[in-house]
Structure formats: structure tokens, C-alpha cells
Amino acid sequence: MVTGEILRPRFYSETCPEAESIVRNEMKKALIREARSVASVMRLQFHDCFVNGCDGSVLLDDTPNMLGEKLSLSNINSLRSFEVVDDIKEALEKTCPSTVSCADIVIMASRDAVALTGGPDWEVKLGRKDSLTASQKDSDDIMPSPRANATFLIDLFERFDLSVRDMVALSGSHSIGKGRCFSIMFRLYNQSGSGKPDPALEPVYRKKLNQLCPLGGDENVTGDLDATPRVFDNQYFKDLVSGRGFLNSDQTLYTSRETRGYVKRFSEDEGEFFRAFEEGMVKLGDLQSGRPGEVRLNCRVVNTRHNDVLLGDS
């Protein structure tokens, strides 16, 4: 793991003591406005931290000189609710100008997304800086596809010192939220080029997905990732055991020998899943690139003085 900023709990206790409560209040508002939005915000932590560490790079808009991560293969038409992060940043800037990084906002908001929907609550380590750039290529090179199988996912997570247990537990983030038909069309109609559906799909569930996502239909239609998409619980794992995983990358965790034991355990013991998920999220939040950073004033753009440097002006 690359060393960067020294992260610690209550990092803002003196400079912005209300930071964590401001974030949670804004997340409560987002949950009331649109339940799905908090799940979308939680996904930002995965998509941010896997690409050059937890540095807020996923939040940056493209510029004439930089292709950022928002239009990468795993993010385009998929990552959403950036406006929730904008609202949190605006509230923090009013109380504590130029103090709380966007990277830390993602970490706090992800934790709150889980806690506010019935999942565990944990202490987060803070003190990250925001990146000065973002890279679509870096995101394309690292982020897994919805088609990924368990072996690929194990190898990917291992690169970040995340264990098989961490990977299965963190996949439980799909306990809340929705996925697009686009991500499952091949499972329904042409698994592994067979011209047939994924045999792991439970037949009644498959029919339901066929109705939701017909061939030639709108692939941006969304379906629930588990049977309780507004509640963070262990239903996701129960669904995998019964062949009702939405994504291939979900169901593979039960069909694969290396991961099936964890799926069964988490499906039977919600407390164990919650503990493993907490540990995984903290380890994920520790990922850093070691690159220089700043505290952005707007999460979508680097501060002007760095823009000047990036554009070659002195």
C-alpha cells in the first residue's frame, strides 16, 4: 500500500467539529429526496478508491486538457448522485471554508449511506487530500465489469491487500440500490456466447428479469439489486444462495468454490456480514496514491492555481 496522508479518526475535531454531522444531515435529506441516491453515493467510494487511491478524482469533470473518470467504461451512464456530494460540500464550505476535502466527504457519506439504511455505523479515518487530476484510462484499466467472475475479482482485490472475505463482504454494498438492464442483457440472453441465459439464474427470477429487460428494450431501465433495495441487510447474500443475484459479478460469488462459503456464512449471520463490511470499508478507505493534493473548493474542479499549472502557465 502506498503511504500518503496520515489518516485518523476525528481529524476535523478542531478545524471543523461539525463536519461529520453536516455530512450526515445532508445524506438524510438526500435519502428523503430519492432513496436510491444514498446507494449511488456509497458506490463512489469503490470507484474512487480503486483508481489511484481515495482522492476524490472520480468527482472531477472533464476539461479540454483532461479526460477524467466519469466517462470511463464502468462509470458512464452508471455513476450518479454527484449533486449530493456538491450539496454536502456547499454546506461544509459555509461552516468551515477550505477545510474538508472532497475525498473525505466521499468516505463519510458512504458510511452514512449504510448507517441510514439500517446497516452498521463505524468510525472513519479522515485527513485525505483531493487529487489534482483524474484519468479515464486509469479507471478503464482497473474497474471491474458487471461480467467479472469471482476469480477475476479475487485477483483484483488482492492487488489492494483486500482479502477474499473483504471482497465478498464489500460486494454486499449491493444490498442497497439498483442496476441497469444494460449490465445483465448478456446473462439473460447470451451467457458466455451460448445464446442461452445464465443457468445459475433461478427460473422465476429470470422470467421477472426478462419482463424488466426484454431484448431490444431500453437498457437504461433499472432493477433492484436485491429483494430489499432500500434496506442495508444480508438479503443480498440470501438472494445469491437462491440464484437471484442481479449481476453476473454478484451470482458468481455463490457459484464459485472460493467464495461460496463466505456467501453462505453472511446469508446466515447478518452480524458477521456487518463486521466484515465495516473492516473492508476501512481498509478500502486506507488506499492512497501518495501523490500531491489539495482541498478543493468545488469537488468537480481543481482549484484555479493548479489549473494554471496544469495548463502550463506560471
Side-chain angles (χ1 to χ4, degrees), residues 123-191:
E123 192 166 55
V124 290
K125 291 187 277 185
L126 303 168
R128 296 164 190 79
K129 290 282 198 289
D130 296 323
S131 69
L132 306 179
T133 187
S135 166
Q136 182 177 315
K137 183 182 185 303
D138 288 353
S139 181
D140 283 340
D141 288 347
I142 200 79
M143 289 308 297
S145 138
R147 299 185 183 210
N149 62 31
T151 305
F152 176 89
L153 293 170
I154 289 168
D155 291 345
L156 173 63
F157 278 64
E158 205 172 67
R159 287 165 61 180
F160 299 104
D161 294 322
L162 293 163
S163 67
V164 177
R165 179 175 181 263
D166 293 329
M167 186 272 283
V168 177
L170 288 171
S171 297
S173 63
H174 289 167
S175 170
I176 53 174
K178 293 174 177 283
R180 291 184 303 150
C181 288
F182 171 81
S183 302
I184 62 167
M185 296 304 285
F186 70 99
R187 282 194 81 198
L188 294 176
Y189 303 106
N190 192 24
Q191 179 78 329

Side-chain angles (χ1 to χ4, degrees), residues 227-282:
T228 56
R230 294 185 177 201
V231 181
F232 194 96
D233 54 16
N234 67 338
Q235 183 64 45
Y236 165 82
F237 295 103
K238 293 177 182 177
D239 288 349
L240 298 188
V241 171
S242 59
R244 296 180 180 196
F246 187 80
L247 300 173
N248 192 74
S249 54
D250 294 326
Q251 194 60 52
T252 183
L253 301 178
Y254 190 67
T255 52
S256 299
R257 186 176 45 80
E258 310 106 302
T259 47
R260 184 183 301 135
Y262 288 113
V263 172
K264 288 188 78 168
R265 206 173 308 163
F266 295 154
S267 75
E268 293 160 3
D269 187 341
E270 189 173 75
E272 181 163 354
F273 161 49
F274 282 3
R275 287 188 293 276
F277 187 81
E278 276 183 48
E279 289 168 25
M281 287 292 271
V282 171

Side-chain angles (χ1 to χ4, degrees), residues 83-112:
E83 70 283 352
V84 176
V85 178
D86 294 338
D87 290 344
I88 294 169
K89 182 62 172 171
E90 190 178 330
L92 285 165
E93 286 298 310
K94 283 176 186 166
T95 307
C96 322
S98 309
T99 304
V100 181
S101 69
C102 300
D104 277 345
I105 289 172
V106 169
I107 298 294
M108 289 185 274
S110 297
R111 181 265 315 268
D112 293 346

Side-chain angles (χ1 to χ4, degrees), residues 23-28 30-31 34-46 81 84 88 105-122 124 173 175-177 229-233 277 281:
V23 175
R24 183 153 298 198
N25 284 335
E26 290 298 321
M27 286 295 284
K28 283 178 184 171
L31 181 65
E34 187 208 11
R36 184 186 173 199
S37 68
V38 297
S40 302
V41 170
M42 178 178 57
R43 284 188 65 214
L44 294 176
Q45 178 170 341
F46 294 88
S81 297
V84 176
I88 294 169
I105 289 172
V106 169
I107 298 294
M108 289 185 274
S110 297
R111 181 265 315 268
D112 293 346
V114 175
L116 291 171
T117 51
D121 201 346
W122 62 94
V124 290
S173 63
S175 170
I176 53 174
R230 294 185 177 201
V231 181
F232 194 96
D233 54 16
F277 187 81
M281 287 292 271

